[in-house]
Amino acid sequence: MSVQLYNTLTRTKEPLELEPTKAGEREADGIRMYVCGPTTYNYIHLGNARALVVFDTIRRYLEYRGYRVTFVQNFTDIDDKIINRAREEGVEPSKLAQRYIHEYFRDAEALNVRRADFHPRVSENLDDIIEMIRVLIKKGYAYQVDGDVYFRVDSFPGYGKLSGRSPQEMLAGARVEPDPRKENPLDFALWKASRAGEPAWNSPWGAGRPGWHIECSTMATKYLGLPLDIHGGGADLIFPHHENEIAQTEAATGTTFARYWVHNGFVTVNEEKMSKSLGNFFLVREILERFPGPVVRFFLLSTHYRNPVDFDFDKLAAAEKGYERLQGTLSLLAEVEAEDQGPNQGRIKSAPTGGETTAGDMGSLASLTERCRVEFEKAMDDDFNTALAIAALFDFSRGVNSIVTKAKAEEIRAMAGQLRQARRLLLQLGEGVLGLFPQQAADAPAMRVAETSGHLAGALIDLLLEVRQRAREKKDWAMADYIRDRLRELNIVVEDTPRGPRWREEQ
């Protein structure tokens, strides 16, 4: 099955197909992908984070499927919001923008979002922006008024094809202010004349700065060429931003701008769209103070990207428990692999002895692993359905846990190859595609067999667990529960398995 994705432009789910190109123009199976980045005047919020995580995951999956992806995400570092915020703080707008670009990368790294191949900035591409505006004026698609330049919407017959809105709906959605200088209230700014005290750049129309929409058209064209294969962003960008991008780019170039338009749904709070005006606005930096980045990423991917995701901290706490179950399976597989290869092989005192692993047991694990891969790919091929992909990982996790915790030590050794394949698959899909388990964390098992701990604190915990195990053998459940609960108060989580007690330290 080929990858299917929902195209906002056609309002249908379509197979991902690359246009044939002239020899030497593009490498085989290359995908040009552009995603609108943040305006750098503040820390990113959860809505920004959802787009970051969604398109990072789409990029990862396409690469998993064998495509070569060239990924571009811009920074809007010239904007009215930046100017106003810089004035409030008494700093240069360029320094404010640079600060928040740095903070963006900190938050993106915490969410395990890979850097784009190119992160162009508006301030670095002004000559190209001015040139595109010049072309639009020359072709009759734009006009100058008092140092401002506007795009002439009536000159582009396809205007509205992305959003599907009527002119009346567009006027309401754009919340345009009456301006008698415009030929049409929907005409939008390509260049803004500067006002006193504002930063400005020279242009053929006077000192000023570019409009928001022309920036992305110019940078996408410059860094990727046309047509783009995938243009992405949040659903709030469909109109007017992406609608305007299509109009000005296709008017200037006479070429299709992007073949597939992909948009993620809103983040809501109590089923209302998150916004500053409603006071339900959450910065990623604030959320990361309470929950690890991988948990936030897991939460955002637990809902299909086109659906709204409703946020509150209780939902995030519930997501953390689910994430820990998958992380626990990964740690379990790492541990049994270490036991099979390490000097303490076979030293689990509480593991049962005797018995043999059957071919059916090993076949079940191999079958479980292959079924997980098939179901995961089926979900992701169907418009990147991460919710179903995660469900496939949970089914896999339950099956692996059941097989491993019931197996005897010699059975584990007999299944070593299949267990390594299971762990490799969980890393490949859970980290490589979904980005849930940063490699350094996945390779450091959090769960440890009680008797293999070497330092004093670990040895004391081992001793307590030995006392607890003797209490359990005597059916002194009250004492056993007391030791477990007291350890839990010290952030030591105990797990009883047929292969012996296991513990991990929670941060």
Side-chain angles (χ1 to χ4, degrees), residues 349-389:
K349 298 176 183 177
S350 57
T353 57
E356 296 181 356
T357 299
T358 67
D361 293 330
M362 290 190 286
S364 296
L365 181 56
S367 175
L368 182 71
T369 301
E370 181 57 25
R371 184 166 67 249
C372 176
R373 182 188 297 279
V374 169
E375 292 301 316
F376 184 95
E377 290 179 357
K378 180 181 177 182
M380 293 297 289
D381 281 346
D382 187 11
D383 196 27
F384 312 109
N385 194 330
T386 55
L388 287 182

Side-chain angles (χ1 to χ4, degrees), residues 419-436:
L419 289 168
R420 282 194 294 272
Q421 290 177 357
R423 180 170 181 264
R424 223 169 7 245
L425 180 72
L426 190 51
L427 280 173
Q428 184 182 34
L429 303 183
E431 166 55 23
V433 175
L434 299 182
L436 298 177

Side-chain angles (χ1 to χ4, degrees), residues 5 12 33 44 140 171 176 178 208 211 242 247 258 304 338 363 489:
L5 71 168
T12 58
M33 186 172 174
I44 60 172
L171 284 170
V176 295
H242 287 168
H304 188 281
E489 292 173 8

Side-chain angles (χ1 to χ4, degrees), residues 401-432:
N401 289 349
S402 177
I403 290 172
V404 172
T405 56
K406 291 177 182 177
K408 302 176 179 67
E410 58 270 28
E411 293 173 337
I412 290 294
R413 290 192 289 274
M415 290 189 291
Q418 288 86 349
L419 289 168
R420 282 194 294 272
Q421 290 177 357
R423 180 170 181 264
R424 223 169 7 245
L425 180 72
L426 190 51
L427 280 173
Q428 184 182 34
L429 303 183
E431 166 55 23

Side-chain angles (χ1 to χ4, degrees), residues 155-455:
S155 67
F156 186 75
Y159 193 76
K161 62 183 177 181
L162 182 67
S163 62
R165 298 188 181 195
S166 67
Q168 292 75 21
E169 290 172 320
M170 291 181 193
L171 284 170
R175 299 190 299 275
V176 295
E177 297 181 5
D179 186 342
R181 301 178 306 154
K182 290 185 181 182
E183 297 176 3
N184 182 328
L186 285 174
D187 292 350
F188 56 89
L190 301 174
W191 187 264
K192 299 179 180 181
S194 62
R195 291 172 290 193
E198 293 181 343
W201 290 263
N202 292 325
S203 80
W205 319 286
R209 60 183 179 277
W212 176 32
H213 314 298
I214 194 69
E215 302 166 358
C216 285
S217 290
T218 303
M219 289 185 284
T221 303
K222 176 180 178 180
Y223 285 87
L224 292 171
L226 296 181
L228 310 180
D229 294 297
I230 297 174
H231 193 314
D236 56 320
L237 298 180
I238 295 174
F239 185 85
H241 185 50
H242 287 168
E243 193 77 75
N244 292 351
E245 280 189 55
I246 290 175
Q248 63 201 7
T249 308
E250 296 187 356
T253 65
T255 303
T256 298
F257 184 27
R259 299 172 55 242
Y260 301 95
W261 288 84
V262 180
H263 295 92
N264 63 273
F266 295 117
V267 174
T268 61
V269 180
N270 295 325
E271 300 184 354
E272 289 187 301
K273 183 177 180 293
M274 191 181 74
S275 69
K276 291 180 179 178
S277 61
L278 294 174
N280 59 358
F281 188 77
F282 293 93
L283 296 176
V284 172
R285 187 63 56 88
E286 296 169 341
I287 296 171
L288 290 174
E289 291 175 356
R290 298 177 60 174
F291 291 90
V295 171
V296 179
R297 184 176 180 116
F298 176 83
F299 168 76
L300 293 172
L301 292 178
S302 296
T303 301
H304 188 281
Y305 78 89
R306 283 194 287 117
N307 295 333
V309 57
D310 196 55
F311 172 81
D312 64 43
F313 283 104
D314 289 340
K315 291 184 175 70
L316 200 51
E320 184 172 36
K321 294 183 183 300
Y323 173 80
E324 287 175 347
R325 287 198 296 273
L326 292 179
Q327 180 69 64
T329 299
L330 195 57
S331 298
L332 174 63
L333 289 168
E335 178 192 303
V336 295
E337 184 176 328
E339 289 173 15
D340 178 62
Q341 297 174 352
N344 294 316
Q345 180 178 347
R347 290 182 57 201
I348 304 173
K349 298 176 183 177
S350 57
T353 57
E356 296 181 356
T357 299
T358 67
D361 293 330
M362 290 190 286
S364 296
L365 181 56
S367 175
L368 182 71
T369 301
E370 181 57 25
R371 184 166 67 249
C372 176
R373 182 188 297 279
V374 169
E375 292 301 316
F376 184 95
E377 290 179 357
K378 180 181 177 182
M380 293 297 289
D381 281 346
D382 187 11
D383 196 27
F384 312 109
N385 194 330
T386 55
L388 287 182
I390 289 173
L393 295 186
F394 272 121
D395 288 343
F396 180 60
S397 171
R398 282 191 291 270
V400 168
N401 289 349
S402 177
I403 290 172
V404 172
T405 56
K406 291 177 182 177
K408 302 176 179 67
E410 58 270 28
E411 293 173 337
I412 290 294
R413 290 192 289 274
M415 290 189 291
Q418 288 86 349
L419 289 168
R420 282 194 294 272
Q421 290 177 357
R423 180 170 181 264
R424 223 169 7 245
L425 180 72
L426 190 51
L427 280 173
Q428 184 182 34
L429 303 183
E431 166 55 23
V433 175
L434 299 182
L436 298 177
F437 312 114
Q439 189 67 38
Q440 62 273 20
D443 283 341
M447 303 294 287
R448 289 176 285 179
V449 177
E451 50 269 73
T452 63
S453 179
H455 56 76

Side-chain angles (χ1 to χ4, degrees), residues 68-110:
R68 182 188 59 80
V69 180
T70 303
F71 186 80
V72 177
Q73 184 180 51
N74 73 298
F75 287 120
T76 297
D77 63 345
I78 298 174
D79 187 84
D80 292 349
K81 294 176 181 178
I82 296 172
I83 293 169
N84 294 336
R85 181 68 176 268
R87 185 183 296 117
E88 292 172 6
E89 296 190 12
V91 298
E92 291 293 324
S94 60
K95 292 183 178 179
L96 181 96
Q98 179 56 45
R99 183 208 310 168
Y100 285 113
I101 289 172
H102 174 74
E103 298 299 342
Y104 161 88
F105 282 123
R106 282 187 58 192
D107 288 342
E109 183 177 349

